[in-house]
Amino acid sequence: MVMGRYAAIGNEATYGTPAATKKGIRVHRFSVEVDRGAMYDESIESYFAGAASGGPLKVGGRLEMSVYPLMCGEVLMALFGEDGYTYTNSSDLHTHEFTLSDPSPVTLRLGENNVEWELAGCGFTGAEFTFEAKEFVKFATTYIAKDIQKKAYAEPTFASGQPFVFWNARLMSDGVSVDHVEKVTVSIDRSLKDDAFVLDSFKRDDLIVDGVGELGGTITVTEKHLAELERAIFGQSGATSISSDNPLFEAHLQVQCEQKCGGQVCSLEFDIPVGVYVEGSWEITGRDYAAREIPYRILGSGFSATLKNTQGEIVPD
């Protein structure tokens, strides 16, 4: 009996139709929750419900993984929705520029206990990339799905290579590297509608954006690095108080990292044309170390991610 475990992903051409692609991804955590949405009929003649039926099927869970150059393209495609793929010749890396469009559905597959759970029509509802000292670059997301089926266990192929790592990652602000950064997060919430149900089906109807999504994250700097904290508090560089026009600090932020893959140096960059510092917070307790955390918000639709690797175009199937 096979006792291994695996996770795989594939981008769908049609929502809810399982993708033919089954690309292995190395995950740390993969949870699945199946809520049958049980409906009960209660009437006046009884103290208890007299009938029950299955209701709206809500399938979802959580996924956590390190970010590998050759295992994150499908994730970025699902989040952003559009891949501006370019490739010139065999000596170049393949360039995937992901820009914001309608979220792209994926099929997730989890193999365990000699079976495979196939989750079709998945959308990532709230995702975060974490660049932190002493760690590999991490990705975590919650997801919702249209359907779940039990399939035969069949391990996918995994791409080779190492994940992106902290010592090859940095934060840039207006083209200048920011020193003494301990941690940066990039959060992407596409605001997907959880209750996308219609008549004649108990399964979700589509991935529907419900309201304004929220893009942002946090920047954590060492306790002796006050420049970014002061910009968050006072709204501008070099200030010692908040001026009468009550400004917020804005900068062109870029989060970058590199890693070798396929004999070349692959890279991932989040480009944030307008990042606004919205808060500065810290706490002093005794002589304990006190890092400074600065939440920021991404404005506009110019936010993008560029992945350069040895992988060809990501084509939903």
Side-chain angles (χ1 to χ4, degrees), residues 183-202:
K183 179 179 177 181
V184 179
T185 64
V186 179
S187 301
I188 305 170
D189 184 354
R190 297 306 309 271
S191 191
L192 295 181
K193 183 177 175 63
D194 184 60
D195 290 321
F197 295 97
V198 298
L199 295 179
D200 203 31
S201 176
F202 57 82

Side-chain angles (χ1 to χ4, degrees), residues 20-41:
T21 297
K22 181 178 176 179
K23 181 176 182 177
I25 51 175
R26 302 189 187 281
V27 304
H28 308 146
R29 177 186 177 192
F30 194 145
S31 68
V32 181
E33 299 174 8
V34 182
D35 181 355
R36 296 294 312 282
M39 301 167 61
Y40 305 97
D41 189 59

Side-chain angles (χ1 to χ4, degrees), residues 168-181 184 219 221 225 227-228 231 252-256 277:
N168 259 342
R170 70 203 60 82
L171 172 67
M172 306 290 290
S173 178
D174 290 332
V176 179
S177 180
V178 180
D179 296 330
H180 311 293
V181 176
V184 179
I219 300 167
V221 296
H225 184 65
E228 296 304 308
R231 292 182 180 112
H252 181 181
L253 302 176
Q254 295 163 295
V255 187
Q256 305 169 337
Y277 291 3

